[in-house]
Amino acid sequence: MRVTFIHADGKQRTEAEAEPGSILLDVAQAHMMPLEGTCEGQMACSTCHVIVAKEDFDRLPEASEMEEDMLDLAAGVRRTSRLACQIVLTDALDGLTVHIPAESRNMQGPR
């Protein structure tokens, strides 16, 4: 399946191939997107915040209350914001497009 990452500058994009069942954060990091994921997917931070394309947002399952609480701490949150660690890629999400927020900073550097 294919995922498109729109870089923080809004111009560059990275096309990624992923297997169903993959976690979006892992796919993003494997393709050098600046998503820190400090808590390693334990939903204890908001450093993997992404903005899902409006046309794709309704294809995702609803965010949990805990995810919503973590998003309250993220910079640059939009109506279609989600935590990449909470998005499990399925065949139904093929073609998903997510934007890396301009406020995104990876203080850990490339993995």
Side-chain angles (χ1 to χ4, degrees):
M1 64 176 301
R2 181 170 294 276
V3 177
T4 301
F5 295 98
I6 308 296
H7 294 226
D9 65 8
K11 298 174 186 168
Q12 296 179 350
R13 52 180 53 219
T14 296
E15 301 286 335
E17 290 292 327
E19 294 294 321
S22 299
I23 304 296
L24 183 62
L25 175 59
D26 295 335
V27 176
Q29 289 176 335
H31 288 84
M32 307 309 287
M33 295 297 104
L35 297 180
E36 202 168 311
T38 303
C39 72
E40 298 180 356
Q42 300 301 308
M43 214 174 2
C45 73
S46 60
T47 61
C48 67
H49 165 229
V50 294
I51 301 166
V52 177
K54 290 176 186 172
E55 59 273 13
D56 292 335
F57 187 73
D58 289 336
R59 294 196 287 154
L60 295 173
E62 283 192 35
S64 68
E65 188 173 328
M66 190 171 171
E67 181 179 356
E68 293 285 351
D69 289 345
M70 291 283 42
L71 284 167
D72 287 343
L73 304 174
V77 173
R78 310 285 192 288
R79 188 186 72 75
T80 61
S81 289
R82 293 295 300 267
L83 297 179
C85 70
Q86 297 302 299
I87 298 176
V88 177
L89 298 173
T90 64
D91 288 330
L93 295 176
D94 187 29
L96 180 71
T97 298
V98 295
H99 299 258
I100 305 300
E103 298 84 0
S104 184
R105 300 285 180 268
N106 184 349
M107 302 305 280
Q108 293 183 351
R111 293 180 182 235

